[in-house]
Amino acid sequence: MTKKNIPLSFLFSLVFFAGFSQVKIGGVVKDEHNESIPFANIVFVGSSTGTVSDENGKFYMESSKTYNQIEISFLGYETKTISIKSRDFNLTIILKEQAAQLEQVFIYSGKVKKKGNPAIAILEKIWAKRRHNGIYLFDQFQYEKYEKLEFDMNNVDSAMIKSKLFKGMEFIFDGIDTSYVTGKAFLPIFINESVYKSYGKNKGGKKLREDLVANKNSGFNNNQNVIAFIKDLYVDYNIYDSYIKIFDKSFVSPISKAVGVSTYNYILADSAFIDNKWCFNILYYPRRKGELTFKGNFWVNDSTFAIKKINMQANKSANINWVKDIYIEQDFDVLNDSVFLLQRDYMMSDFSLNKKDKSKGLYGKRTTMYKDYNFNQKKEDAFYNEEINPYDKNIYTKNDDYWGENRHEKLNENELGIYKLLDTLATVPKFKRIYNLVSILGSGYIEFNKFDFGDVFSTFGKNDVEGWRLRAGGRTFLGGNEPWRLQGYTAYGFKDDKFKYGLSGKWMLNPKSRFTIGMGNRRDVEQIGVSLTTTNDVMGRSFASSSLFSSGDNSKLTSINLSNFYMSIEPRDNLEFRVGTSYRTLESASPETFNLDYWVDKENNIKKAELAQSEIDFSVRYTPNRKTIGYGVERNEVTDTYSTLFLNYSKGIKGVFNSDFDYQKVQFYYRQPILIGGLGRMFTTFEVGKTFGEVPLGLLNVVPGNQSYFTIENTYSLLDYYEFVTDTYASLHVEHNFNGKFLSRIPLLRKLNLREIVGVKGVWGEISDKNIALSASNINYVAPTKGYYEYSVGIGNIFKVFRIDFSWRGNYRDIPNANNFAIKGAFGFHF
């Protein structure tokens, strides 16, 4: 999705005819020794429009007004004013060093001193007044919100236009424009617009109701993943907080009271009227490279000391992948000395495979605007519990006149042209092929008419029982928002010479409550016991039985025949109740090396190798703050930063369809991601469960081992399959990623953007004497009654896609053939 020399006269002649700005300039600021000056202040003379050069001294800025001069300044250097042309992109500005005595007052080695700094004196007054967003100070509130999401191809140049990739599609470059943030030529390829009516209450329990009034989409119309991806990028944030969370990372806010002064240099640069309010302009830039920081400036009112305008551009050396630039603008309406209202929020990210200036990539943009605030209209509690129908076709069919009247800011000609451009592109076969390739990589499915083939990533596998394994499957697909879905697969093992299959279907009968029924059947070979918290998912895929590479004995596999039926309902967002019934048979897939046998009559030496079991189950899943997109029976998740609580109760019923055992099983699962300020991100997973009644190995809780060469979540890296078996257990996994907090401060390692990861995993469990006596399996039951633990240290972000973990066993080290140390890796794409 973010996968990304032209004669400048040619490129900028295109830009000139497409752009609307009167002045566009760019260049670099250097000293007399030809060294670049980072974070220099550049401003149009006679205006409040300016920017700050980046770490390499480069800058770009533009204005819709006509200016003839710019002023360049930086502490320790003489301020310089030069004349400019309306289009000048190759400015080289040389600043002379200033007298040493001024340096002693304000700076030392390029860092601004804190004592006596008027900018910090203003910051202290900002901190002294506790800021509040006005909507949280009133009993009830309402406003209208307009949101625009956009994707653009950037760094468009003549080489791109003439490339074979776009042969036959050259007409798309008629819509070229330039970014007022970076000065790069870009081409809009996707726009999604929405209008919401928002209502909220604070007194008597906080509630927020957002009614989608209108939505207009262009480009990738049926690809909900694109919209979900963009929405995931731009979560809400508050500049007055100590940290601003973007891409699951914590950037230090330039207004941070806790760590702002120790992280940024601040300079009082100017003062002027902004919306009839006298404001001070403060520049800021980071004290150190490699940290999650910004550069930019903000305007603060001289009496209320509330932020009126702020812009923030991420430090280019920040340890973040696939993102070359992050730029944020916010405008506020200051009501009084302690209350502000957000008027406009703009965020742009430049996604690219690398951070070189000329690398191609994509801009992802979100513009959110607010108006018509009202704090006087009271609503009853019942109003907030009502749900407007988001599936009303009228929401998605508003005409151009409606959008002309209800956009909070007008689209430019190129943005308006996207709606026509994508309609035209949809008829071009070559574009369809490119789109389909991207779609396959993103979803894992190959699209046909009303049917998707896949998952293609599950096609090949290997294990000791089946040998090489081929798998092919598919699903119905009518656009992504259909109320029903059928899916299935078939697989073949070349060693055991057997076919396997899985079929399932589900139907959402009530979209409002998401009342859904589903059923399915699967006959396959599987590694059971790779998860403590079990489910009856017919279409599940076990990494242990279908991975390409594994270590040790991988023959402890089970042939399973599982049928299920269930009903689920969501009475409120992110709260799901589910009741179901299942029937399954289990037997060893390799009796010569592994068996699941249990005693039917031990005195007379009667045992059984096959298990048949009927079961009913009831579960509750709660995922607060989870965001999804789409309204079909299957939805796409917008973010994975939500917590998960899952409670399951199962009851085995003996005698139904010759079922073998009566038992009860209770399981609880809790997963919580935690962003810890500037220290990174932590994941904690807690599981606890107990089985009541006598059951054989196939129904017990096996502590999940990991015999693959890869790090897999919620498994134990140093345990083999079936090393620990329990009927009562408690497990805790903790992993913390420091996001390069410490490695970024080591000069030789800083540019590698490596990330430190530490983790510890522990499990306690026991097994009853009755369950031990029931077993006739060749598996020796051992429970971690002393509490087993292992710990790890890892390095992540190697080449941006790989991590390596070094794991040590903490105890139970004297068990025969115990793995006391392991090195495992994992691939993944992370920001």
Side-chain angles (χ1 to χ4, degrees):
M1 204 172 307
T2 62
K3 302 160 179 91
K4 321 17 97 182
N5 282 315
I6 125 178
L8 286 177
S9 58
F10 173 79
L11 172 58
F12 289 114
S13 64
L14 287 175
V15 170
F16 177 82
F17 290 112
F20 295 93
S21 298
Q22 296 297 314
V23 182
K24 297 183 179 184
I25 62 169
V28 61
V29 182
K30 296 185 176 183
D31 62 17
E32 295 171 290
H33 308 291
N34 203 35
E35 296 289 333
S36 62
I37 300 178
F39 311 120
N41 181 36
I42 305 100
V43 63
F44 288 119
V45 174
S47 79
S48 60
T49 301
T51 189
V52 178
S53 63
D54 65 18
E55 294 95 310
N56 300 312
K58 296 180 179 180
F59 70 93
Y60 172 85
M61 65 178 184
E62 64 178 53
S63 175
S64 58
K65 299 180 180 179
T66 299
Y67 295 103
N68 300 316
Q69 292 181 314
I70 58 172
E71 182 180 273
I72 308 94
S73 60
F74 187 68
L75 288 177
Y77 294 85
E78 294 180 357
T79 299
K80 189 171 186 177
T81 301
I82 66 171
S83 299
I84 57 171
K85 302 174 182 178
S86 60
R87 297 290 189 278
D88 202 339
F89 303 96
N90 294 297
L91 293 170
T92 299
I93 300 164
I94 306 298
L95 296 185
K96 294 182 179 181
E97 291 188 26
Q98 207 170 37
Q101 59 266 29
L102 184 61
E103 236 180 85
Q104 295 174 0
V105 177
F106 285 107
I107 66 171
Y108 179 76
S109 297
K111 290 184 171 60
V112 178
K113 284 194 173 181
K114 304 172 187 178
K115 188 175 181 180
N117 186 341
I120 294 180
I122 294 173
L123 275 169
E124 290 172 346
K125 293 182 179 180
I126 294 173
W127 301 329
K129 295 181 180 292
R130 188 176 181 182
R131 299 291 153 200
H132 295 282
N133 188 325
I135 63 172
Y136 300 116
L137 296 182
F138 297 89
D139 291 347
Q140 298 195 29
F141 58 87
Q142 62 185 66
Y143 55 82
E144 182 178 291
K145 182 174 79 172
Y146 166 77
E147 183 180 67
K148 179 177 67 177
L149 304 171
E150 183 177 334
F151 256 155
D152 312 316
M153 290 192 300
N154 65 33
N155 255 341
V156 178
D157 56 23
S158 61
M160 176 185 286
I161 295 171
K162 295 176 181 179
S163 69
K164 293 182 179 180
L165 179 65
F166 293 100
K167 188 174 182 180
M169 299 186 293
E170 292 85 354
F171 63 90
I172 68 175
F173 295 103
D174 293 340
I176 202 169
D177 202 346
T178 53
S179 167
Y180 73 91
V181 177
T182 65
K184 295 177 183 177
F186 70 86
L187 179 70
I189 57 174
F190 169 88
I191 292 178
N192 180 270
E193 299 178 273
S194 301
V195 176
Y196 298 88
K197 291 287 188 181
S198 302
Y199 310 86
K201 65 185 292 285
N202 297 303
K203 189 175 181 180
K206 289 187 176 182
K207 289 184 178 292
L208 178 65
R209 168 177 164 177
E210 279 200 334
D211 296 346
L212 179 62
V213 178
N215 181 267
K216 188 175 185 180
N217 190 29
S218 75
F220 312 107
N221 282 293
N222 293 324
N223 196 334
Q224 297 294 321
N225 289 317
V226 175
I227 303 173
F229 175 74
I230 301 176
K231 283 183 173 289
D232 185 18
L233 303 179
Y234 306 125
V235 296
D236 295 330
Y237 46 83
N238 184 348
I239 60 169
Y240 288 100
D241 290 340
S242 292
Y243 294 92
I244 296 173
K245 297 174 182 178
I246 306 172
F247 304 120
D248 296 334
K249 301 190 184 306
S250 297
F251 286 74
V252 178
S253 170
I255 315 297
S256 172
K257 179 179 179 180
V259 291
V261 173
S262 63
T263 305
Y264 292 104
N265 295 302
Y266 296 94
I267 302 170
L268 177 59
D270 199 0
S271 57
F273 279 105
I274 305 291
D275 292 340
N276 298 318
K277 295 182 183 292
W278 189 253
C279 298
F280 297 116
N281 183 224
I282 294 179
L283 300 177
Y284 61 89
Y285 54 91
R287 289 178 172 267
R288 294 172 294 274
K289 292 183 178 181
E291 297 185 351
L292 297 176
T293 52
F294 300 100
K295 70 177 181 71
N297 68 86
F298 57 85
W299 292 87
V300 54
N301 183 246
D302 72 329
S303 57
T304 64
F305 292 98
I307 305 300
K308 181 64 179 168
K309 297 170 68 74
I310 188 170
N311 68 69
M312 302 179 283
Q313 191 163 8
N315 184 4
K316 287 185 180 296
S317 62
N319 191 340
I320 184 168
N321 294 330
W322 322 115
V323 180
K324 188 160 46 176
D325 268 311
I326 301 173
Y327 180 79
I328 295 172
E329 286 181 356
Q330 286 192 330
D331 296 336
F332 300 92
D333 181 16
V334 181
L335 297 186
N336 53 52
D337 63 351
S338 63
V339 180
F340 67 87
L341 294 173
L342 183 60
Q343 286 184 319
R344 183 178 185 271
D345 181 18
Y346 172 81
M347 181 174 176
M348 183 195 79
S349 302
D350 183 354
F351 301 101
S352 179
L353 294 178
N354 60 66
K355 296 188 178 184
K356 296 179 180 179
D357 283 344
K358 293 184 179 181
S359 61
K360 306 293 187 292
L362 294 173
Y363 288 141
K365 304 175 183 176
R366 184 189 74 171
T367 304
T368 310
M369 305 186 72
Y370 306 82
K371 71 175 184 180
D372 298 338
Y373 283 98
N374 190 306
F375 304 102
N376 300 317
Q377 292 189 10
K378 301 294 183 181
K379 304 287 185 183
E380 300 298 326
D381 286 351
F383 171 81
Y384 296 99
N385 296 325
E386 294 177 7
E387 288 188 17
I388 192 168
N389 182 11
Y391 324 119
D392 184 353
K393 290 184 178 180
N394 291 327
I395 293 174
Y396 305 94
T397 56
K398 303 290 186 185
N399 59 31
D400 291 342
D401 291 338
Y402 172 89
W403 286 104
E405 294 174 4
N406 288 275
R407 288 188 180 104
H408 293 198
E409 67 178 12
K410 294 182 179 180
L411 300 183
N412 63 38
E413 291 183 10
N414 296 323
E415 290 173 330
L416 286 170
I418 288 303
Y419 290 103
K420 296 179 180 178
L421 172 64
L422 268 296
D423 288 340
T424 305
L425 268 179
T427 65
V428 179
K430 187 170 185 178
F431 176 78
K432 290 181 179 179
R433 291 195 296 271
I434 296 172
Y435 170 81
N436 288 337
L437 177 60
V438 174
S439 179
I440 292 168
L441 294 174
S443 68
Y445 285 86
I446 301 173
E447 297 180 15
F448 296 96
N449 186 26
K450 299 182 180 180
F451 178 82
D452 287 354
F453 175 82
D455 173 3
V456 296
F457 301 122
S458 302
T459 302
F460 298 99
K462 187 181 181 184
N463 58 67
D464 291 346
V465 174
E466 297 176 283
W468 282 101
R469 167 189 171 101
L470 290 179
R471 184 182 188 272
R475 65 185 183 185
T476 58
F477 192 85
L478 308 180
N481 286 318
E482 56 267 31
W484 60 273
R485 173 154 291 165
L486 300 175
Q487 53 188 330
Y489 74 90
T490 183
Y492 176 75
F494 286 88
K495 184 176 180 180
D496 65 355
D497 193 25
K498 292 181 180 179
F499 281 96
K500 297 88 180 177
Y501 71 85
L503 295 169
S504 76
K506 47 189 165 183
W507 183 19
M508 186 170 61
L509 300 173
N510 186 330
K512 186 174 182 180
S513 64
R514 296 193 62 79
F515 176 62
T516 302
I517 61 173
M519 63 189 303
N521 173 252
R522 178 180 65 189
R523 296 192 179 198
D524 206 342
V525 170
E526 182 179 316
Q527 177 72 65
I528 62 174
V530 292
S531 174
L532 278 171
T533 304
T534 57
T535 65
N536 290 321
D537 181 12
V538 167
M539 297 302 292
R541 173 175 175 259
S542 170
F543 71 87
S545 56
S546 57
S547 63
L548 291 176
F549 306 101
S550 61
S551 62
D553 177 15
N554 193 19
S555 65
K556 297 182 178 69
L557 301 178
T558 301
S559 293
I560 181 171
N561 180 1
L562 170 65
S563 299
N564 77 340
F565 173 81
Y566 70 89
M567 296 182 292
S568 66
I569 191 170
E570 292 187 25
R572 55 173 291 183
D573 287 346
N574 298 323
L575 177 63
E576 179 191 64
F577 294 94
R578 172 170 164 156
V579 61
T581 181
S582 65
Y583 176 80
R584 64 182 177 271
T585 62
L586 304 173
E587 62 179 330
S588 173
S590 177
E592 300 82 8
T593 59
F594 163 68
N595 71 71
L596 295 164
D597 297 358
Y598 58 93
W599 292 109
V600 177
D601 185 344
K602 194 170 184 178
E603 291 183 0
N604 296 310
N605 199 32
I606 301 173
K607 57 185 177 180
K608 192 175 180 181
E610 182 180 10
L611 168 68
Q613 189 61 51
S614 297
E615 185 179 274
I616 59 173
D617 62 272
F618 173 76
S619 65
V620 181
R621 184 183 300 272
Y622 181 46
T623 51
N625 300 317
R626 181 180 68 138
K627 296 181 180 179
T628 60
I629 193 165
Y631 50 85
V633 68
E634 291 184 358
R635 297 174 293 179
N636 294 302
E637 292 185 351
V638 174
T639 176
D640 65 351
T641 57
Y642 58 86
S643 56
T644 300
L645 294 93
F646 177 75
L647 177 65
N648 184 68
Y649 169 79
S650 305
K651 180 173 177 56
I653 306 174
K654 186 175 181 178
V656 177
F657 300 113
N658 296 316
S659 179
D660 292 314
F661 290 94
D662 278 318
Y663 63 89
Q664 298 181 77
K665 182 179 291 187
V666 179
Q667 296 177 302
F668 175 72
Y669 171 95
Y670 174 48
R671 183 177 187 267
Q672 179 66 59
I674 306 170
L675 283 172
I676 309 178
L679 290 177
R681 182 178 181 180
M682 177 182 291
F683 280 101
T684 61
T685 303
F686 174 69
E687 297 179 81
V688 61
K690 183 173 179 62
T691 301
F692 301 89
E694 298 176 34
V695 293
L697 181 61
L699 299 175
L700 289 172
N701 303 113
V702 180
V703 177
N706 179 5
Q707 292 181 207
S708 76
Y709 294 108
F710 298 96
T711 301
I712 298 174
E713 187 176 5
N714 295 333
T715 65
Y716 290 83
S717 296
L718 294 164
L719 293 184
D720 291 337
Y721 305 132
Y722 293 103
E723 189 164 335
F724 288 128
V725 179
T726 74
D727 54 31
T728 305
Y729 65 88
S731 170
L732 178 65
H733 291 207
V734 180
E735 180 179 281
H736 187 81
N737 189 326
F738 288 96
N739 281 329
K741 176 71 175 179
F742 306 109
L743 293 177
S744 66
R745 300 194 179 194
I746 302 175
L748 295 178
L749 297 178
R750 179 183 297 143
K751 291 186 178 181
L752 298 177
N753 284 336
L754 301 176
R755 298 172 186 172
E756 323 87 341
I757 304 167
V758 297
V760 61
K761 306 174 182 180
V763 60
W764 168 89
E766 60 184 17
I767 185 80
S768 70
D769 291 337
K770 290 183 178 180
N771 282 328
I772 294 175
L774 183 65
S775 173
S777 169
N778 62 342
I779 296 296
N780 183 30
Y781 287 7
V782 177
T785 54
K786 295 185 295 185
Y788 167 82
Y789 74 97
E790 60 187 47
Y791 51 94
S792 63
V793 175
I795 300 295
N797 209 41
I798 301 170
F799 306 120
K800 298 184 181 180
V801 296
F802 188 69
R803 64 179 274 183
I804 186 169
D805 294 285
F806 304 88
S807 300
W808 292 265
R809 183 183 286 232
N811 58 354
Y812 288 93
R813 298 174 61 89
D814 297 329
I815 291 179
N817 301 316
N819 298 315
N820 292 322
F821 173 75
I823 301 175
K824 296 181 184 288
F827 289 94
F829 293 87
H830 304 282
F831 286 113

